[in-house]
Each structure stands twice: as structure tokens, then as C-alpha cells.
Amino acid sequence: MMNFFKKLSRFSFKIKGKGFWIFTVYFFLPFLAFAQIPVDLNSFDKNGEASVSSKEGFLEITWPTGKDEKGKIYVNLEQNQPLFNKIELIKEESISEIATNLDPVFLLSVGERDLEKRDGWNIFFDQTAYKPYETHLVKLDKRNAQVISEGSRTKILISEVSAGNFNGSLEIILFNGSPLLNIAAVMATEKDARAIIYDAGLTGSENEWEEVFWADTDDYLQSSKVNLETKSENLAVKYRTIIGETNGGSLAVFPPPHQYFYPLDNAYNLKFTWYGKQYRKKVPEFGIGIRHELLGDRRHVPWFNAPPETKQRLNFFILISDEKDGKVLNQVKKFTHGDEYKPLEGFYTMASHFHTEHVMDVLTHKPLPEIPGHVKALRDAGVNIMHLGEFHLAGNPRDRGPKRLPEFHKMFEECARLSTGDFLMLPGEEPNSHFGGHWMNLFPEPVYWIMSRDEDEPFVEEHPDYGKVYRVGNKEEMLRLLEEENGLAWTAHARIKGSTGYPDEYKDEEFFKSDRFLGAAWKAMPADLSQKKLGKRVLDVMDDMANWGHKKHVIAEADLFKIEPDYELYGNMNINYLQLEELPKFEDGWQSVLDVMESGKFFVSTGEVLLPAFNVDGKGAGETVNLQRNGKAEITLEIDWTFPLNFVEIVSGNGEEVFREKIDLTKTKAFGKKEYRFTVDLKDRKWVRLEVWDAAVNGAFTQPVWLEE
């Protein structure tokens, strides 16, 4: 439009009416000011590493992307023009034009949340996809722009974007030190009871796309030559990434690795990427992007919570490169350690709560590979310890012995068979009996027990085939079993699903106050794209338990059913890093695993943020610190990260209130390791713990340190 007016302003023309009138085109000049939308640079640091200029309807932003390399984007502020006029990489005097005339695209699907079920927004058993919903193509109306410096990143805001009754702004974040961008439609609604999912990507009919690359679920690089008339295709890929190659280089498009996935029972790979034309018959131009399957795993499909006035970030990342042939995928993989949990000296990784039903498959003589898929998948992900939650929807957990005891025996046999030098499979169950709600258990060696007992039956007896067998008739006997066998129990998915109302309902019970009751388990459920952390539900439970005066801990749980190597496991997983000197052998028992859990000598992570060291005045997680009289304490924390960090949150409590202190870490760049020291005032506090979250809403948290004065 601007170019049109420029050319037009150089000459005059005649309009024929009753006579001949000559108009000078300078009549149109006032409209030029209207076409040039206002740009606010007041919050941009002109002395920082990035630079910006605003001229002739464009924003030109340059930022350092690596050693001796810069990235540059040309943002077109004219209405109805592609947002990204050009994307470049600059090395010394060499300029690689990576892409031209691209637009970000978003599809927002809006359904209804059933707030009458269970506990309102803390819901899982919802069927959003089976109820009426609408899918909107998000519209961008370029009204104004703002460029903001925020730590080591530059944020460009363009208003406004809209989709149905959701409104907000487009947000582009450039990360110094990396050719990484984050693109987000940040929108809110005033409507209540909304649930959402989204698809996103890059489109451009004029862009010279040449080839599309991806890694298939067997981790082989695949590609397809581009035909701009190719109808869209959905792809099951590894690493959640689709790559578009142009004459000048490549653009890799991928979502936040964990935040993008709302909770499901199954981690199926539901073809989370797309490329082609007419995507969902709503995106006319050729594009590449990420997507959700509306029906999920066709069980419970809750989507994301979108409470009124919350700013939902529909976002994706772009990694730009002058390399071709899909090589940029190697750089993308670094952000998740290749979808593996990075080994840490002095730690072993433990994943908990899996309903694989493997034992029942064996007992029913289903054809099975020698090494089942779930073992291959977890070993490939760098998991050292797998803790089962068998007999949940399968098996005969309420059986009085004839069926249950052989099922236990086969579980113990299979755990022993599948445990190797660097992998330990631990038997476990989600028994959901006697205590209330859903809960998990773990014993330090194989234990046979039955969930009921008649008055004339003994609590424990010797069985001719299985040895010692317990019969448990009530919660007191359940606690007695845990005490005699040194087992642990904890609340599964606290305050949601079958544990709605728990552990609150039994916080004053003897079994909960016992040291045999560990606490609760953490998973990002429900999901909410407006939050800068995952799993707030259980983090709140953790703080409440500490304020109740109990020294409880929270472990990570996967809560997944069947698993195969081609599933999207990493995005739906989390992990516990246990401080263990060595991995125990199955035949020797695994008391050391329970000791670490009980003592709190572990941290929880999504995998990208690691906490190799943490102490308060020299005392680690699970230990007790005698505070100085003035209440001051020094926290030492070592962080190892991939995505740039957002913040550290120091959380503490005094037995009644919870206190939070955020420490901004937006100056960090991608891929780092650093020790931090914080002096904090913990006067009159009873406990303190830490969380760390990054720019992709990945994170890690410690267990509490207990405080005395």
C-alpha cells in the first residue's frame, strides 16, 4: 500500500465530470499517516545487543544469534501484507535470506468446560471434543506496535488479534545468542467455562519453499519436495518438529515440548505436525506447522482451561538456519537433549505411575516381543527406574487370592526379567482401597497382599506357593502393612480425577501423618496456557501439606497407560532425579530408592531444567536448618538449562500462609550452567523450596528444606 501511494504521488491525473478537474495526488498524503501504524519504542533498550529501526511501514530488528552471527527480521506493518517480509541470517559480510513473505497462522478451537463436574477448573474427566465447539482462524488487525527489551530478549507486540470472542495481541520474542523465535497469539475472553486447543504455523504462497523435512517415529529423516498445490497432510513425527527449506536455508517449527500437550490417558503420537495447502480447509496458502487432534485419544479429552480474562498463549518456536537437508533438526534436538533425560553424576532417573497392563498381556498369552515396547521407550528416553501402577483397569485387584496372587507373582517375575544393569523395573500398584481417593504404593521388595479380610482370617499367613501373604481389612491394617514391610504410599493425582478432595479429606488421619505416607505426586494437569509454570495444582498441594506441619514430599508421576516407542512419550512425561550412589539390583531389593524418596533427596523436572545442587545454609532438600536469629539464610542453587530461563521462585511458608519471591532470569541465554546464590529473609518461616521455569514453560522444583529458629 505504501509503495502504491509513493508511486501515485509523483504525478497528477484528470477526472472527467461536468468539466475537467485536475487533482494533485498530494490529496492522498494524509492517508499515508493513517497507513503507518504507531510504533512505541520507549521500552526498547537502545544500548542493548539488539537494534531496531522503524521506517516506511517496516520494523527492522537485528539480534545476535551466535558468535559472529546475527539474525534480522523485517516486520511489515501494512495491513493485509505478510507479516514477515524477510528473515535473514548475517555472518560477517554474508547475508542469507532464509525466507520471504511469511505469515504466522493460528487456528483456535473453542469448546465448553463443564464446571459442574467434580472441582470446576480442576477437571480431567471432561468430553470437550464431543460437545459443540467452533474453530476460528485468528485474524490480525495491525493497529499499533511496540518493541520491548526484556532481559536478553526482544519482544514485539502487534495489536490486535481476534478469534470469536477471544481478543489480544500478537507477540514475537527474539532470544539473544540463538536463532530462536517464539511466536504467540496472546488472547483472552470474558466468557466463562471456555476450553480451547490450537493449531499454528507459517504460511506464504509467494515464499520459495523447496522441500519439507521431518524425523519419522523411528527417528529416520524424511523429506518431501514442495508443490504449492499439495493439499495439507498431517504427519506423525519425532521431536514434534516440521522443517521448511527455502533457497536460502531452513526454518524449523516446533511447540513448547511439554506445555503444548494437555493431559490424556495415552501418549499416542496423534500426528502433531502438518504441511501443505488448505489445512483444515481454513488456511488457504501453503504452510508448515503444529497441530492438535481434536478428539485426542478418544477417551477423556479435556483440552486446555481458558478461564475469563486469562491471557492464553497460543505459541510455537521457530529455529532459523542457513543449513539445508534437515540439518537444523540437530539444533532443535539439543533443546530437549534429543528427547532424553540428561545423565547427572550422583543421580538416577525414576519415572512413576504406568498402567501398562503388561502382566495381563502375558497371562492372557498375547503375542509379545521379548522386550516390551514400554521398556524400549523408557530406556530410549534415559529412564533408569520405572515404577508400575498395575491392576488399575485390568487384572483382579479385589480378588480374594486365587487370581490376584498369581498376577502378583507374574508381575514380580517380569520386573526381575526386564531389570538390567542400567534399568530397574519396580512393581507397584494403584490400589485405591481403604484410605480414600486414588493412591500409589511402593515396597522395597516383592510383597503379596489381598485387599480384604474376614474376621476369622489372619492379617498375615504363610502361603505354600507364595510365602508371606497379608490380608488387609481397613485403613489401620493398611498402615500396619506399610509399616511392617517398610513401604510407602502417596496420593495419586491429588485434587483431581479420582482424588478430587484428597489429600485434604484425610490430612488428619493417622495413616497420612505417618512417615509411611510420602505425600503426593505431580503432573501438569489440568493444563492452562496462560500460566508460566506447569502443574500448579500439585505445587499448591505441596505447600499446603508443608503448612499442615507434615514433612511430606512430591514425586513426579506420568499416569499413562500403554506405551510404545513410536508414541509421543517425551512431551507427556516428567522425571524424578534421585540422589543415589548406585542403581540397586532387583534381586537385592531397592530399599535405597525408598530411602531417597522418604528423605526428599531428589528433584522433579520436565527434563530441560536440571538442579544438580541445592541447599539452604548448607542443608539440602529434606533436611532441617537452624536459622540465624535475624532469619537470614543463603540459598545456593546450580541450574543446568537448554531454553533461556524465565525465573526462579523461592516459595516458603509459616504454617498458615505461603510466600513467593520471584527472581528474574530473563537475562539468561539458551544452553547454560551456573551457580546462583540468594540471600533471603526466612524469619518465622517453617519451610522453603525452589522452582525454576524457562521460556518454554519447562521447569524443575526441589523438595522443601525444613526451618527451625
Side-chain angles (χ1 to χ4, degrees):
M1 183 183 293
M2 290 292 290
N3 291 336
F4 168 76
F5 279 126
K6 282 183 178 180
K7 293 176 182 177
L8 204 58
S9 66
R10 295 175 186 163
F11 60 89
S12 299
F13 65 92
K14 297 181 180 180
I15 295 181
K16 188 175 182 181
K18 292 183 180 179
F20 286 92
W21 296 86
I22 298 176
F23 286 84
T24 302
V25 180
Y26 287 110
F27 167 80
F28 291 98
L29 285 178
F31 292 93
L32 295 180
F34 180 78
Q36 174 73 58
I37 71 172
V39 176
D40 181 357
L41 300 179
N42 290 327
S43 298
F44 177 75
D45 181 5
K46 296 178 181 178
N47 298 316
E49 294 183 89
S51 62
V52 62
S53 64
S54 173
K55 56 187 177 183
E56 299 182 351
F58 287 90
L59 274 175
E60 297 180 12
I61 304 104
T62 304
W63 80 103
T65 56
K67 185 178 180 181
D68 302 323
E69 180 185 84
K70 294 182 179 180
K72 188 172 186 178
I73 61 171
Y74 297 75
V75 179
N76 193 331
L77 299 178
E78 292 185 31
Q79 208 71 264
N80 302 318
Q81 293 295 311
L83 185 69
F84 295 115
N85 175 260
K86 279 192 297 186
I87 300 176
E88 297 176 340
L89 280 178
I90 305 168
K91 294 181 180 179
E92 297 179 350
E93 301 301 318
S94 173
I95 299 176
S96 298
E97 188 175 271
I98 307 301
T100 60
N101 296 318
L102 285 179
D103 260 322
V105 62
F106 298 89
L107 292 177
L108 175 65
S109 296
V110 183
E112 185 176 351
R113 171 67 70 238
D114 188 345
L115 294 178
E116 299 302 318
K117 281 185 178 180
R118 301 234 177 172
D119 196 24
W121 292 106
N122 256 5
I123 191 169
F124 174 78
F125 296 122
D126 207 351
Q127 304 289 345
T128 314
Y130 295 94
K131 296 182 286 189
Y133 63 85
E134 293 182 336
T135 298
H136 306 276
L137 180 63
V138 175
K139 298 177 181 178
L140 173 60
D141 183 6
K142 300 171 185 175
R143 298 183 180 182
N144 56 71
Q146 184 180 17
V147 184
I148 300 170
S149 296
E150 189 177 84
S152 68
R153 56 198 74 167
T154 302
K155 184 183 294 185
I156 303 107
L157 302 176
I158 303 173
S159 296
E160 69 176 28
V161 291
S162 61
N165 51 40
F166 281 76
N167 295 277
S169 61
L170 185 76
E171 182 180 281
I172 305 164
I173 301 178
L174 313 175
F175 298 90
N176 288 350
S178 177
L180 184 69
L181 299 81
N182 182 263
I183 314 295
V186 185
M187 298 190 291
T189 182
E190 295 180 356
K191 297 284 186 179
D192 200 8
R194 300 298 93 178
I196 63 172
I197 57 173
Y198 74 98
D199 307 341
L202 294 171
T203 66
S205 60
E206 297 180 19
N207 195 65
E208 296 177 357
W209 299 103
E210 294 183 347
E211 201 164 358
V212 176
F213 289 85
W214 66 94
D216 66 19
T217 54
D218 290 324
D219 205 9
Y220 291 108
L221 191 66
Q222 305 288 348
S223 69
S224 176
K225 293 290 185 181
V226 167
N227 179 342
L228 292 181
E229 297 305 314
T230 299
K231 291 296 178 65
S232 69
E233 180 180 354
N234 302 331
L235 296 173
V237 306
K238 194 171 175 65
Y239 313 115
R240 303 156 298 281
T241 302
I242 188 81
I243 300 165
E245 181 178 292
T246 69
N247 183 56
S250 304
L251 299 100
V253 172
F254 55 99
H258 303 281
Q259 185 200 40
Y260 187 66
F261 297 96
Y262 62 88
L264 292 172
D265 281 337
N266 295 287
Y268 299 146
N269 193 314
L270 298 172
K271 298 184 176 181
F272 294 110
T273 64
W274 63 273
Y275 79 95
K277 190 175 182 180
Q278 290 292 336
Y279 175 64
R280 290 186 63 185
K281 298 181 180 179
K282 290 183 177 292
V283 182
E285 298 177 327
F286 186 96
I288 60 174
I290 57 174
R291 62 179 296 277
H292 275 109
E293 183 62 37
L294 292 170
L295 293 176
D297 62 0
R298 297 180 182 269
R299 286 164 65 101
H300 308 289
V301 189
W303 291 5
F304 295 95
N305 284 340
E309 307 298 335
T310 58
K311 294 182 178 181
Q312 300 294 318
R313 292 193 83 254
L314 323 180
N315 76 101
F316 64 96
F317 287 91
I318 305 171
L319 195 68
I320 59 177
S321 173
D322 57 7
E323 291 187 304
K324 294 190 175 184
D325 300 324
K327 292 179 181 178
V328 67
L329 183 60
N330 294 324
Q331 303 307 313
V332 175
K333 288 161 60 175
K334 290 179 181 179
F335 285 98
T336 59
H337 305 296
D339 282 10
E340 295 182 33
Y341 298 110
K342 179 180 176 180
L344 282 183
E345 186 176 355
F347 291 85
Y348 286 89
T349 57
M350 174 181 170
S352 177
H353 199 152
F354 294 95
H355 306 301
T356 64
E357 300 174 7
H358 172 69
V359 171
M360 299 314 300
D361 289 344
V362 173
L363 290 174
T364 54
H365 305 290
K366 288 187 179 180
L368 296 170
E370 180 69 14
I371 305 298
H374 59 268
V375 173
K376 292 180 180 178
L378 290 173
R379 288 182 64 129
D380 288 347
V383 174
N384 302 126
I385 305 170
M386 178 188 188
H387 172 227
L388 298 176
E390 286 289 63
F391 316 131
H392 185 54
L393 298 181
N396 298 276
R398 303 294 188 235
D399 177 73
R400 301 298 301 272
K403 294 181 180 179
R404 178 165 169 81
L405 295 179
E407 289 171 1
F408 263 135
H409 185 68
K410 182 54 66 175
M411 176 171 63
F412 300 148
E413 279 189 342
E414 283 296 285
C415 286
R417 180 179 74 86
L418 294 169
S419 294
T420 60
D422 62 350
F423 184 77
L424 178 63
M425 180 179 284
L426 298 184
E429 191 175 18
E430 188 178 10
N432 307 332
S433 64
H434 305 309
F435 287 162
H438 286 201
W439 56 279
M440 296 285 291
N441 69 11
L442 178 62
F443 292 100
E445 60 184 8
V447 173
Y448 292 91
W449 68 284
I450 294 167
M451 294 187 187
S452 60
R453 184 176 71 84
D454 291 338
E455 287 187 10
D456 60 345
E457 292 179 309
F459 171 66
V460 59
E461 62 180 354
E462 284 295 319
H463 191 281
D465 296 321
Y466 304 112
K468 187 186 295 185
V469 174
Y470 292 89
R471 293 182 182 272
V472 176
N474 52 47
K475 59 188 176 184
E476 289 79 13
E477 291 179 350
M478 190 70 242
L479 175 58
R480 181 181 169 190
L481 168 59
L482 291 168
E483 290 173 338
E484 291 200 11
E485 292 293 339
N486 206 30
L488 289 175
W490 59 90
T491 309
H493 42 75
R495 293 177 180 170
I496 200 170
K497 298 175 76 174
S499 292
T500 299
Y502 298 96
D504 309 69
E505 292 276 338
Y506 50 56
K507 68 183 179 65
D508 296 322
E509 296 271 6
E510 288 305 311
F511 69 82
F512 180 78
K513 292 187 287 185
S514 163
D515 62 4
R516 296 301 88 209
F517 204 93
L518 178 72
W522 177 86
K523 181 178 179 176
M525 177 170 57
D528 186 329
L529 294 165
S530 70
Q531 295 179 0
K532 295 184 178 181
K533 59 173 68 177
L534 300 176
K536 184 178 181 298
R537 166 186 57 91
V538 181
L539 296 173
D540 289 344
V541 172
M542 192 179 189
D543 299 337
D544 289 342
M545 289 190 300
N547 269 347
W548 294 340
H550 305 304
K551 293 184 177 181
K552 303 298 181 184
H553 301 120
V554 165
I555 72 163
E557 65 176 351
D559 194 3
L560 293 171
F561 286 72
K562 292 208 178 247
I563 296 169
E564 294 296 335
D566 62 344
Y567 285 13
E568 178 44 62
L569 181 62
Y570 186 80
N572 290 282
M573 273 277 288
N574 48 43
I575 202 71
N576 301 283
Y577 275 85
L578 308 184
Q579 282 186 258
L580 280 169
E581 292 184 4
E582 61 181 4
L583 191 67
K585 297 182 184 300
F586 185 89
E587 60 268 26
D588 296 335
W590 45 95
Q591 181 65 56
S592 60
V593 172
L594 279 77
D595 290 344
V596 169
M597 294 169 63
E598 185 181 348
S599 64
K601 297 296 184 182
F602 65 96
F603 68 88
V604 171
S605 174
T606 57
E608 299 78 11
V609 180
L610 305 177
L611 308 177
F614 161 68
N615 67 72
V616 179
D617 280 353
K619 297 290 185 178
E623 297 183 323
T624 300
V625 169
N626 291 310
L627 288 174
Q628 302 177 40
R629 288 186 177 181
N630 61 7
K632 300 290 184 181
E634 183 175 79
I635 295 177
T636 302
L637 177 68
E638 185 178 316
I639 313 175
D640 184 320
W641 69 88
T642 59
F643 287 90
L645 298 175
N646 265 0
F647 60 89
V648 167
E649 188 165 57
I650 302 172
V651 187
S652 61
N654 62 5
E656 296 180 359
E657 297 178 83
V658 176
F659 303 88
R660 305 180 189 278
E661 181 183 348
K662 277 189 180 180
I663 299 170
D664 183 88
L665 293 182
T666 56
K667 288 185 178 180
T668 57
K669 299 179 181 179
F671 305 109
K673 185 176 182 179
K674 183 178 178 180
E675 182 179 275
Y676 291 88
R677 293 181 182 273
F678 311 112
T679 300
V680 292
D681 186 355
L682 298 174
K683 184 73 173 175
D684 299 324
R685 307 289 165 83
K686 305 292 186 183
W687 53 271
V688 63
R689 64 177 184 85
L690 279 182
E691 302 172 22
V692 183
W693 300 95
D694 71 19
V697 197
N698 309 306
F701 61 86
T702 72
Q703 302 305 303
V705 172
W706 312 103
L707 308 175
E708 292 181 356
E709 294 186 356

